[in-house]
């Protein structure tokens, strides 16, 4: 049994009605996405309570580095998880076990190498990121605890979460991430304001984040141990090395996932840098909007994460009807969430902006920005949805094409173009303008690939 309301893996992937199977898979994924969003804001929120701008700046400097660790986790976790679901659909359980072991050791190795590199080149890295004499010490504390010491458990937690979801154990996958997030929120004030002396608040935030990720990783390892020796997900090297085609497939899907995640973050960085050329109030306003708009976006990503193993399994098993129903219901749910978010954000934009900054010109500007940016939510969901579909099919080269084209051809150039033509509000409209083009391109690519699914059972036999 998989712990998901008593449903076995076979029930979730084969027997349960699609709406119930989606509910089992999607709800934990959405919950974990929302908790991750909240706890990513927790360190900044608690550090801001010190009224020390250098501490706040120091934690912000490390955010791009932390996001890279999540990219590394996606390389091993998304690449391995997608393949494992397809292998289970082909009844190739032994190869699925070998792929899981490979993915776990791959994730641990690249995380260890990344953390080691950050530690060895810490000083030049911090100066490259923009650390000053006032922020260097704080940034060093945060980087050492969160990345150098905590990098491996952070990556492994996310890899294990993806792998658990790939075998239908979405509840455990979500709970482990939620546990880490809630612990981080609880431990931040304890370490920052109780256990450590004044002046060490950034170190306290870093220790809290590191410790919470370690405990989350430990939770996943305990669950893995309780699953027994015959479990699909395993650290046991004695299961043997995955086949060459399987290893290639992990990278074929994992690398595009990592690259598109990195480009997504790069788009936000460029938007901030262009907005700062106007005035500080505009930068503060867009900063608020980029936080608030993530709630419906993260719900959409959770829907995609819960959907992907079901689509991958049905695709590999040649179950066209179940695959189509899963895609249709997931897409409809995501668009309903996006439409509801537009209505709510249009009605309550001032109140939502006021959660971060009450009153004044900045809050009013943030509300105005939010009403524009939220219009892109259905387009952003459809863009992510199509990429996740091709990851489920094992078509990493197509998902890489869609992701790279979205950010490098449409989104980032649109920022510069509309900034030049329209000015500040051009930057705000850029997301909707760029993703309109992305959705058209995605639908054309999907329609071109779609006829090939008519030979789905035969193709599945060749899919790794």
């Amino acid at each position: 049994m998989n712990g998901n309301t008593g449903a076995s893996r076979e029930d979730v992937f084969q027997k349960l009605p699609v709406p119930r199977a989606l509910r089992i898979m999607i709800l934990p994924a959405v919950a974990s996405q929302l908790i991750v969003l909240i706890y990513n804001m927790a360190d900044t929120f608690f550090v801001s309570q010190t009224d020390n701008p250098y501490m706040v700046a120091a934690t912000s400097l490390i955010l791009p580095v932390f996001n890279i660790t999540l990219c590394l986790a996606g390389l091993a976790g998304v690449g391995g998880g997608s393949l494992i679901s397809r292998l289970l659909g082909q009844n190739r359980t032994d190869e699925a076990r070998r792929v899981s072991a490979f993915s776990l050791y791959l994730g641990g190795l690249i995380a260890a190498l990344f953390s080691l590199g950050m530690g060895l080149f810490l000083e030049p890295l911090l100066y490259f990121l923009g650390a000053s004499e006032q922020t260097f010490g704080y940034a060093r504390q945060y980087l050492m605890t969160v990345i150098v010491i905590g990098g491996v458990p952070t990556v492994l937690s996310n890899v294990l979460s993806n792998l658990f979801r790939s075998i239908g154990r979405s509840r455990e996958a979500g709970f482990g991430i939620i546990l880490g997030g809630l612990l981080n929120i609880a431990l931040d004030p304890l370490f920052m304001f109780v256990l450590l002396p004044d002046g060490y608040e950034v170190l306290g935030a870093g220790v809290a984040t590191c410790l919470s990720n370690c405990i989350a990783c430990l939770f996943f390892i305990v669950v893995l141990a309780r699953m027994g020796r015959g479990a699909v997900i395993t650290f046991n090297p004695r299961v043997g090395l995955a086949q060459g085609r399987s290893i290639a497939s992990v990278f074929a899907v994992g690398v595009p996932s990592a690259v598109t995640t990195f480009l997504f973050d790069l788009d936000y960085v460029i938007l901030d840098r262009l907005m700062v050329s106007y005035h500080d109030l505009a930068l503060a306003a867009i900063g608020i909007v980029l936080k608030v708009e993530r709630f419906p976006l993260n719900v959409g990503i959770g829907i995609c994460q819960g959907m992907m193993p079901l689509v991958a399994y049905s695709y590999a098993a040649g179950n066209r009807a179940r695959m189509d129903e899963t895609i249709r219901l997931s897409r409809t749910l995501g668009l309903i969430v996006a439409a509801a978010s537009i209505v709510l954000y249009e009605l309550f934009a001032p109140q939502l902006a006021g959660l971060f900054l009450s009153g004044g010109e900045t809050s009013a500007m943030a509300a105005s920005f939010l009403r524009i940016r939220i219009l892109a939510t259905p387009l952003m969901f459809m863009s992510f949805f199509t990429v996740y579909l091709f990851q489920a099919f094992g078509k990493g080269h197509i998902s890489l094409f869609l992701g790279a084209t979205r950010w490098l051809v449409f989104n980032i150039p649109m920022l510069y173009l509309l900034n030049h033509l329209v000015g500040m509000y051009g930057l705000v409209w850029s997301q909707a303008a760029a993703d309109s083009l992305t959705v058209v391109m995605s639908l054309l690519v999907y329609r071109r690939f779609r006829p090939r699914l008519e030979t789905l059972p035969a193709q599945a036999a060749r899919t790794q």
Side-chain angles (χ1 to χ4, degrees), residues 182-193:
L182 294 178
L183 281 174
N184 192 27
I185 295 170
L187 293 177
D188 264 343
L190 177 64
F191 279 97
M192 292 173 65
F193 306 120

Side-chain angles (χ1 to χ4, degrees), residues 251-321:
F251 284 104
V253 173
V255 170
S257 173
V259 169
T260 52
T261 301
F262 173 77
L263 292 175
F264 177 80
D265 293 323
L266 179 63
D267 180 71
Y268 274 22
V269 171
I270 293 174
L271 176 58
D272 280 343
R273 288 184 176 271
L274 291 175
M275 191 64 78
V276 78
S277 66
Y278 292 96
H279 46 72
D280 291 340
L281 296 184
L283 179 62
I286 199 64
I288 292 170
V289 170
L290 294 181
K291 291 181 175 66
V292 176
E293 74 174 9
R294 287 300 297 262
F295 281 93
L297 178 59
N298 278 41
V299 172
I301 292 174
I303 292 171
C304 293
Q305 288 181 340
M307 166 208 71
M308 190 170 77
L310 296 175
V311 171
Y313 186 97
S314 296
Y315 171 72
N319 192 338
R320 174 69 178 265

Side-chain angles (χ1 to χ4, degrees), residues 84-299:
I84 287 170
S85 295
R86 297 196 306 276
L87 289 169
L88 292 177
Q90 299 169 13
N91 292 317
R92 298 175 60 192
T93 305
D94 289 341
E95 182 64 8
R97 298 187 74 215
R98 289 190 286 267
V99 169
S100 75
F102 172 78
S103 299
L104 288 171
Y105 283 107
L106 173 66
L109 177 62
I110 58 179
L113 292 175
F114 182 74
S115 296
L116 179 62
M118 294 298 99
L120 292 175
F121 300 100
L122 185 146
E123 184 171 333
L125 172 67
L126 289 179
Y127 284 126
F128 173 77
L129 292 172
S132 64
E133 183 179 344
Q134 292 84 3
T135 61
F136 182 89
Y138 299 131
R140 184 181 187 278
Q141 293 173 357
Y142 200 64
L143 181 69
M144 283 294 298
T145 50
V146 175
I147 307 298
V148 177
I149 299 174
V152 172
T154 299
V155 170
L156 282 180
S157 294
N158 282 274
V159 172
L160 282 163
S161 178
N162 277 287
L163 297 190
F164 279 170
R165 196 178 295 114
S166 75
I167 63 170
R169 302 189 68 136
S170 187
R171 190 172 72 174
E172 290 91 334
F175 184 80
I177 299 299
I178 292 171
L179 174 65
L182 294 178
L183 281 174
N184 192 27
I185 295 170
L187 293 177
D188 264 343
L190 177 64
F191 279 97
M192 292 173 65
F193 306 120
V194 178
L195 298 181
L196 295 179
D198 291 343
Y200 288 89
E201 286 85 358
V202 172
L203 178 62
V207 171
T209 300
C210 177
L211 186 59
S212 63
N213 285 327
C214 288
I215 294 174
C217 187
L218 181 62
F219 165 80
F220 283 120
I221 292 173
V222 169
V223 172
L224 197 58
R226 293 180 62 183
M227 287 165 62
R229 292 184 177 181
V232 174
I233 310 303
T234 178
F235 275 103
N236 189 351
R238 286 181 291 182
V239 297
L241 183 64
Q243 295 176 2
R245 288 185 299 173
S246 294
I247 293 174
S249 183
V250 170
F251 284 104
V253 173
V255 170
S257 173
V259 169
T260 52
T261 301
F262 173 77
L263 292 175
F264 177 80
D265 293 323
L266 179 63
D267 180 71
Y268 274 22
V269 171
I270 293 174
L271 176 58
D272 280 343
R273 288 184 176 271
L274 291 175
M275 191 64 78
V276 78
S277 66
Y278 292 96
H279 46 72
D280 291 340
L281 296 184
L283 179 62
I286 199 64
I288 292 170
V289 170
L290 294 181
K291 291 181 175 66
V292 176
E293 74 174 9
R294 287 300 297 262
F295 281 93
L297 178 59
N298 278 41
V299 172

Side-chain angles (χ1 to χ4, degrees), residues 351-419:
Q351 292 84 351
L352 292 168
L355 293 174
F356 293 85
L357 192 64
S358 58
E361 184 180 350
T362 304
S363 181
M365 190 181 299
S368 177
F369 288 175
L370 183 58
R371 285 188 168 121
I372 296 171
R373 291 275 300 186
I374 197 62
L375 297 176
T377 304
L379 302 170
M380 295 179 74
F381 170 75
M382 286 303 299
S383 299
F384 278 112
F385 185 80
T386 310
V387 169
Y388 271 90
L389 278 182
F390 283 112
Q391 289 175 350
F393 299 150
K395 305 299 179 181
H397 62 289
I398 300 179
S399 65
L400 177 59
F401 169 77
L402 291 175
T405 304
R406 179 188 183 193
W407 300 114
L408 297 180
V409 177
F410 295 143
N411 287 60
I412 294 176
M414 191 69 73
L415 282 171
Y416 288 100
L417 176 64
L418 293 187
N419 181 50

Side-chain angles (χ1 to χ4, degrees), residues 331-341:
R331 182 176 57 230
T332 300
L333 177 60
L335 291 175
I336 289 173
V337 170
S341 70

